[in-house]
Amino acid sequence: MTVKTQGTHLYFLNTLESTVALVKLTCPTGISGLGGARDQIDSTCLDDTDDRRYVAGLGNPGQVSVPFNLHPEDASHQVLFDLKESGETLSWIICLSDGTAVPTLTDDEITPPTGRTSAEFQAFVQDVNIDAATNDIVKGTLTLQRSGKVTWNWKA
């Protein structure tokens, strides 16, 4: 079974306000970059004569890129600039369209929805870039630097 992209949502934990809030990003048009290659550690011995030997090292969390259509009046877009300035690492969750349940906030932590595939990760806002071109709408690109692994919650 495949999953359509329509109905996919991106949420983040906004900790900059006096009350922690779960915020849904308005109008993302894509999400990419949940990967990250694992380091390789050279374990070659002096007496090896053919090829080097390696063992797996730590993973390198990649950058997540989120293009979006800018809605200047929208609080979810306005706070991105403050999050960039703060440099704070936050919780993020992508919820795929194989369900409609929304994540919840429990003790200032995101609880993934049941009955819907989701991917949770920690990241800080590395950049928010705004683009304006002739005969187009104003668009932005949110760049997140992940810290740690992605936790997948698979729909049963």
Side-chain angles (χ1 to χ4, degrees):
M1 178 179 131
T2 60
V3 179
K4 289 185 176 185
T5 57
Q6 296 91 333
T8 296
H9 302 113
L10 174 62
Y11 298 86
F12 61 92
L13 203 57
N14 181 3
T15 58
L16 297 182
E17 303 296 326
S18 57
T19 304
V20 174
L22 185 62
V23 179
K24 180 179 146 204
L25 184 68
T26 297
C27 205
T29 59
I31 302 170
S32 64
L34 288 177
R38 182 171 297 282
D39 283 339
Q40 56 188 27
I41 300 171
D42 191 334
S43 63
T44 309
C45 298
L46 284 175
D47 58 353
D48 285 330
T49 58
D50 291 326
D51 289 333
R52 290 183 180 270
R53 297 174 188 258
Y54 293 96
V55 296
L58 296 174
N60 285 304
Q63 292 179 332
V64 176
S65 180
V66 183
F68 61 95
N69 293 335
L70 180 65
H71 293 249
E73 75 289 350
D74 189 271
S76 75
H77 289 188
Q78 294 170 1
V79 74
L80 296 177
F81 296 91
D82 296 332
L83 291 173
K84 178 186 174 190
E85 291 304 314
S86 80
E88 187 175 349
T89 299
L90 307 167
S91 296
W92 298 77
I93 186 167
I94 301 166
C95 297
L96 300 184
S97 66
D98 58 353
T100 57
V102 298
T104 56
L105 193 56
T106 307
D107 297 325
D108 295 342
E109 291 192 18
I110 296 174
T111 301
T114 56
R116 185 177 189 183
T117 302
S118 63
E120 295 179 83
F121 58 93
Q122 299 286 311
F124 63 88
V125 176
Q126 185 176 29
D127 196 11
V128 181
N129 190 29
I130 302 299
D131 295 311
T134 303
N135 199 31
D136 201 356
I137 62 173
V138 179
K139 298 177 181 180
T141 302
L142 169 65
T143 304
L144 303 172
Q145 177 57 58
R146 284 193 309 117
S147 179
K149 67 179 186 169
V150 175
T151 301
W152 284 93
N153 303 294
W154 302 104
K155 179 178 179 176

